[in-house]
Amino acid sequence: MGIIVWWKESVVYQIYPSSFKDADGDGYGDLQGVYEKLDYLEKLGVDVIWLCPIYDSPGHDNGYDIRDYYAILRKYGTMEDFDRLLAEAHRRGLKVMMDLVLNHTSDEHAWFAESRSSKTNAKRDYYIWRSGKNGQVPNNWESYFGGSVWKHDPETNEYYLHLYSEHQPDLNWNNPEMAEEMYKMVHWWLEKGVDGFRFDAVAHIAKADGLPNAHNPNNLPVVQAYELFSNLEQVHTILRKLNNMILKPYGPMTVGETSGLGPEQALAYVGTDRDELNMVFQFEHMFIDARSSGIGKWNYKPWKLTELKEIMSRWQTVLHGRGWNANYMGNHDQPRPVSRFGDDGKYRARSAQLLATWMFTLEGTPYIYQGEEIGMTNVAFPDIEQYRDIETKNYYNHYIGQGKSKHEVMEAIWRKSRDNARTPMQWDDSEHAGFTTGEPWMEVNGNYTGINVAEAESDPQSILNYYRKLITLRKQNHVLIYGAYELFLPDHPEIYAYTRTLEDEQWLIVMNFSANEPEMAWPEGWNAAEAKCMMCNVSRRYSTDEGAILLQPYEARVYRKQGVSGE
Ligand code: GLC
């Protein structure tokens, strides 16, 4: 089976460098740590490593505030370390994808130092500056991390715009010199030999002309204004230019982080006729357990499987043949999937395997976030002092300031804090989970003695070994990569089932997202005699499968229809 399009057939593994593996004992993960774990990654069967930002940064947002795009953060190593890692990854046939922030820099970037120094500085216009309105901020937009997007700078008595923290001033893409500098920088990394980019927050690089106020019926000091700085037409103009001028000759894999859109709008980025990006990370399924999107994520509401199916199925069908999906269930900004969509108690292993089955049998490129492959769970630190994430801390201070009880605020944090995903990787049951010999920058999740890689290696039925099998299965069967998706039982509250069909080959995926034991009639064209089970996360089988598929709690099955070509 030859490769048709490499980035469609690849499996991506996302590394959060601070928390992956510390080789020098300073408590922070580093590039040498990644180097030492290449064996592990190779054995897992992934093709691409995505490194979250490793550039020089003061670290207010863990590297998403870049101070120098051309330098490696000291605590991660040196440029030589990076070059060595890249060369060794390539030697093993692994590709490396960089995380690149085009929307903003650190407030310690040399450009910003110049920009803020005077209104007439040549780089003033690299960022977005406005004077106040009657002593107030220039408009009513709310930042992703809480409060206004505007920060007053006494130096010139004007405000600069920051969609994220005040240490992350937004760049002004209307400034051609700044844009040129960015293109040059992307080119420099391509010349170095990197194989792809994840473009951070790329949906927001353009803002509505004139920066108008957002609709504000209740006259609040700040309001969500996503439609005024998300997915605007100018973003597409910039991306097409970037692609045609810089990316294309190198053929890198590209994925954009684009919140606030559905699949029809996503086609503007990933449509085969668009010449922009290979794929985007969509957010619809990340907000099914929130009362609203963006900053509304903290307001929990129970999620429904029917809604999850509806969202995923829409993306599967709309993009089929017209674009390409990036499939993920967690990342460094999201809670742990097994705690969120599975069961991190009694059925932890089985539900983590079910979730993996889902990710690897959808159309699109699957992304694994570090630790998912061993079923790492959310953490519930009792004290806010144990948290590191700027978003979490801002949320805490804001709501405690407004009089909410500590318990109420901590409960929301336990559920949604980004630090759920950022506790150090659990390698073994030694002190600090084998992550570091020093003091870890953030505490290890207390459950590491039972949940760790060494333990998973020793158990043939482990989540880790299940991932390995699934990855191999997907690689060996184009139907799982390219086949058309059809959903069954859209209204069933517990069962998620679909087929994948490529030419005359058809596979059936059945998953029970519950602790109950529902049953499902064989879909039309399927029966027990002709269905060959290719993958299953439960070894004991009911004997009464003939009439219907009887599912155990969190059971997942992948069937292939017998007696067709390829047998
Ligand atoms: C993206 C990153 C997130 C970061 C933000 C600002 O959403 O994934 O971690 O805080 O952009 O750069």
Side-chain angles (χ1 to χ4, degrees):
M1 218 180 50
I3 291 174
I4 303 173
V5 183
W6 71 269
W7 47 265
K8 293 187 176 176
E9 295 176 31
S10 291
V11 174
V12 183
Y13 188 91
Q14 181 189 354
I15 290 179
Y16 198 68
S18 289
S19 298
F20 189 61
K21 171 70 188 167
D22 175 21
D24 64 5
D26 68 353
Y28 290 89
D30 42 42
L31 293 175
Q32 181 57 28
V34 177
Y35 188 98
E36 288 171 14
K37 293 296 177 187
L38 287 175
D39 268 348
Y40 171 75
L41 297 171
E42 206 182 341
K43 193 168 168 213
L44 180 56
V46 301
D47 308 277
V48 180
I49 305 167
W50 150 22
L51 295 171
C52 285
I54 52 168
Y55 318 90
D56 178 43
S57 158
H60 291 288
D61 188 17
N62 267 325
Y64 284 93
D65 46 330
I66 300 176
R67 184 163 48 199
D68 182 352
Y69 290 90
Y70 296 93
I72 303 292
L73 181 61
R74 278 303 305 161
K75 64 187 183 204
Y76 291 155
T78 60
M79 195 55 86
E80 288 68 48
D81 293 325
F82 176 79
D83 292 340
R84 198 169 335 113
L85 173 64
L86 185 65
E88 180 57 18
H90 284 168
R91 196 188 64 75
R92 293 166 182 257
L94 290 167
K95 294 187 159 66
V96 176
M97 176 189 236
M98 302 295 279
D99 205 326
L100 206 48
V101 187
L102 303 180
N103 182 67
H104 47 266
T105 68
S106 157
D107 60 348
E108 293 184 23
H109 192 288
W111 295 345
F112 192 68
E114 280 198 51
S115 182
R116 80 188 329 175
S117 67
S118 91
K119 287 187 191 171
T120 53
N121 184 278
K123 295 199 167 50
R124 180 64 168 182
D125 205 28
Y126 272 35
Y127 296 85
I128 302 171
W129 292 95
R130 292 290 182 276
S131 47
K133 275 192 187 152
N134 315 320
Q136 303 288 316
V137 289
N139 72 18
N140 63 9
W141 298 359
E142 180 172 36
S143 150
Y144 277 110
F145 292 164
S148 169
V149 298
W150 296 101
K151 170 82 179 168
H152 182 255
D153 203 39
E155 198 97 7
T156 55
N157 193 25
E158 281 195 332
Y159 294 81
Y160 65 85
L161 183 141
H162 60 89
L163 295 184
Y164 296 90
S165 93
E166 64 185 62
H167 300 291
Q168 294 163 297
D170 280 51
L171 288 161
N172 174 18
W173 278 86
N174 290 321
N175 181 293
E177 280 120 64
M178 191 288 293
E180 275 311 312
E181 290 278 359
M182 283 304 210
Y183 296 140
K184 218 171 74 192
M185 179 271 295
V186 175
H187 183 250
W188 187 84
W189 281 101
L190 286 165
E191 271 298 297
K192 211 175 226 319
V194 305
D195 307 284
F197 296 102
R198 176 233 186 216
F199 293 117
D200 179 78
V202 74
H204 311 308
I205 59 178
K207 282 83 180 167
D209 280 344
L211 311 177
N213 272 327
H215 183 56
N216 190 2
N218 299 324
N219 230 349
L220 299 167
V222 287
V223 282
Q224 294 190 1
Y226 304 141
E227 70 286 355
L228 296 171
F229 53 74
S230 302
N231 306 305
L232 302 180
E233 192 45 43
Q234 199 202 341
V235 179
H236 298 290
T237 317
I238 297 165
L239 285 174
R240 266 200 300 279
K241 192 163 167 196
L242 175 67
N243 189 28
N244 285 316
M245 273 180 20
I246 311 290
L247 302 172
K248 227 178 215 169
Y250 297 86
M253 169 169 174
T254 53
V255 53
E257 189 200 24
T258 56
S259 54
L261 46 67
E264 294 291 350
Q265 296 108 294
L267 282 170
Y269 289 100
V270 305
T272 39
D273 54 339
R274 293 287 296 184
D275 238 9
E276 295 187 20
L277 297 170
N278 294 152
M279 51 195 136
V280 293
F281 289 126
Q282 62 94 5
F283 278 70
E284 288 193 75
H285 64 315
M286 289 291 119
F287 288 115
I288 61 172
D289 57 355
R291 300 221 171 265
S292 66
S293 65
I295 201 163
K297 78 174 201 177
W298 299 103
N299 298 320
Y300 176 73
K301 88 168 194 258
W303 65 278
K304 290 198 191 80
L305 182 68
T306 45
E307 196 185 339
L308 184 65
K309 293 193 283 191
E310 187 279 319
I311 292 169
M312 299 307 284
S313 303
R314 200 153 29 77
W315 280 84
Q316 289 288 296
T317 44
V318 172
L319 261 52
H320 181 70
R322 300 164 76 195
W324 193 251
N325 274 291
N327 296 317
Y328 73 100
M329 53 183 175
N331 59 35
H332 65 294
D333 293 331
Q334 300 293 338
R336 288 287 180 182
V338 72
S339 299
R340 190 182 199 181
F341 301 118
D343 171 355
D344 62 9
K346 182 172 175 198
Y347 295 113
R348 187 185 63 88
R350 211 191 271 176
S351 66
Q353 290 169 337
L354 168 137
L355 293 171
T357 310
W358 175 46
M359 282 295 113
F360 286 93
T361 58
L362 289 172
E363 180 172 338
T365 299
Y367 287 74
I368 304 170
Y369 177 68
Q370 68 183 43
E372 272 168 18
E373 75 279 18
I374 54 166
M376 279 177 65
T377 68
N378 280 353
V379 72
F381 293 133
D383 199 295
I384 189 66
E385 292 306 317
Q386 293 163 288
Y387 285 84
R388 298 286 172 265
D389 170 30
I390 187 169
E391 183 197 39
T392 305
K393 287 180 178 292
N394 284 359
Y395 166 77
Y396 181 88
N397 292 333
H398 183 75
Y399 282 97
I400 292 291
Q402 289 203 339
K404 272 200 181 186
S405 78
K406 182 175 169 195
H407 183 73
E408 199 181 340
V409 175
M410 288 313 290
E411 270 199 331
I413 287 174
W414 294 334
R415 212 184 270 284
K416 289 289 178 66
S417 169
R418 306 195 296 183
D419 280 344
N420 281 310
R422 298 178 181 184
T423 60
M425 181 73 183
Q426 294 163 203
W427 294 105
D428 58 40
D429 64 2
S430 67
E431 202 190 1
H432 306 313
F435 161 70
T436 180
T437 52
E439 267 313 301
W441 72 284
M442 175 161 45
E443 283 170 57
V444 169
N445 190 322
N447 62 19
Y448 73 93
T449 48
I451 303 174
N452 61 65
V453 171
E455 209 277 325
E457 289 283 5
S458 68
D459 173 8
Q461 309 299 331
S462 68
I463 303 167
L464 179 64
N465 281 312
Y466 189 87
Y467 264 79
R468 289 174 177 151
K469 281 184 226 152
L470 259 179
I471 292 173
T472 308
L473 188 72
R474 184 176 181 278
K475 280 204 182 340
Q476 289 172 349
N477 295 280
H478 267 173
V479 60
L480 292 180
I481 300 168
Y482 296 108
Y485 166 104
E486 191 191 351
L487 180 74
F488 295 98
L489 307 178
D491 300 324
H492 199 291
E494 292 163 341
I495 297 176
Y496 188 173
Y498 47 88
T499 48
R500 300 289 308 280
T501 309
L502 185 68
E503 291 164 7
D504 54 2
E505 193 169 353
Q506 189 169 72
W507 290 46
L508 170 68
I509 293 93
V510 182
M511 295 169 292
N512 171 19
F513 273 70
S514 82
N516 300 327
E517 302 194 347
E519 64 173 74
M520 173 181 159
W522 287 99
E524 212 183 304
W526 283 82
N527 58 59
E530 280 176 314
K532 181 173 176 198
C533 199
M534 305 299 289
M535 196 77 198
C536 185
N537 63 349
V538 178
S539 44
R540 186 167 55 87
R541 172 80 353 91
Y542 286 120
S543 55
T544 42
D545 266 354
E546 260 87 88
I549 303 171
L550 304 184
L551 293 157
Q552 295 187 47
Y554 292 100
E555 182 166 4
R557 298 193 201 173
V558 179
Y559 288 111
R560 167 186 181 171
K561 205 183 277 184
Q562 300 267 48
V564 289
S565 75
E567 266 307 300

